[in-house]
Amino acid sequence: ASLGSTDASGTITLNAATPPTVASPVPTRAPADVISLFSDVYTNRPVDTWSATWDQADVADVPVGGNVAKKYTKLAFAGVEFISNQINASAMTHLHIDLWTQDPSRFSVKLVDFGANGVFGGNDDSEFEVTLSRTSTPSLSTGAWNSLDIPLSAFTGLTGRGHIAQMIIAGASPTIYLDNVYFYKVPVPTSPPVAAPTPTAPAGNVISL
């Protein structure tokens, strides 16, 4: 190759990734424990937009393995807004996202809470971004759906969860697929799920109450 009149040599590596051909895993959590934004399994809360006017991304609903997923292209960052139907996730413990990415080196998700007044600004907003990669927990891979269960406690700067109004996603891959985007809580058991262990001490050595 040449740069003007200067000869140049080098290497360009192209990494090709095929799109998903199978649907994302079917969620099995109880609907009572879920606040869903996008899923074929649960009743979804209204979302104002999956690509805000101020972001850099295109989004479309596409069929994948008999299911519908959100396909983002030309993704630098995308704003998902549910300002008119803000989410009270105070009782929730996790954010779940099924992600297909062509580049697992980086994917980030930011949650924005508008505070008690429910309005952007006003000195009571809070936000925090979590970044995932091949080596994070949960980790990312390519060639398969990544079922991401992110503890809300990981969003350490998100001081409020009662008026979550935005989710902002970004990553190394300009094309990603999303499915089953929801908040959920891990229920606290009200009784032991299994019987107590069977005692093994010889009966002759025992005084039992």
Side-chain angles (χ1 to χ4, degrees), residues 75-199:
L75 174 66
F77 63 95
V80 182
E81 295 189 318
F82 29 98
I83 297 172
S84 59
N85 293 277
Q86 297 175 18
I87 288 177
N88 182 357
S90 300
M92 302 292 107
T93 59
H94 290 75
L95 170 66
H96 178 92
I97 299 175
D98 284 325
L99 166 72
W100 183 288
T101 179
Q102 295 178 337
D103 186 343
S105 63
R106 179 175 57 86
F107 174 76
S108 62
V109 54
K110 177 189 289 187
L111 295 178
V112 182
D113 186 280
F114 280 6
N117 63 8
V119 179
F120 179 72
N123 298 320
D124 62 351
D125 298 359
S126 63
E127 63 182 50
F128 194 80
E129 183 177 67
V130 171
T131 299
L132 305 176
S133 67
R134 294 183 183 90
T135 58
S136 64
T137 302
S139 61
L140 302 180
S141 63
T142 190
W145 285 99
N146 296 271
S147 289
L148 308 176
D149 292 292
I150 308 171
L152 291 181
S153 59
F155 295 86
T156 54
L158 190 70
T159 57
R161 300 180 190 170
H163 298 83
I164 298 178
Q166 293 175 322
M167 180 175 68
I168 302 167
I169 58 174
S173 176
T175 300
I176 65 170
Y177 296 77
L178 296 185
D179 200 1
N180 298 318
V181 181
Y182 58 83
F183 297 89
Y184 71 90
K185 62 182 177 182
V186 177
V188 177
T190 57
S191 61
V194 296
T198 302

Side-chain angles (χ1 to χ4, degrees), residues 43-67:
T43 299
N44 297 318
R45 293 283 296 270
V47 173
D48 299 328
T49 179
W50 285 88
S51 180
T53 56
W54 42 264
D55 72 15
Q56 297 180 31
D58 294 331
V59 65
D61 288 351
V62 298
V64 179
N67 196 8

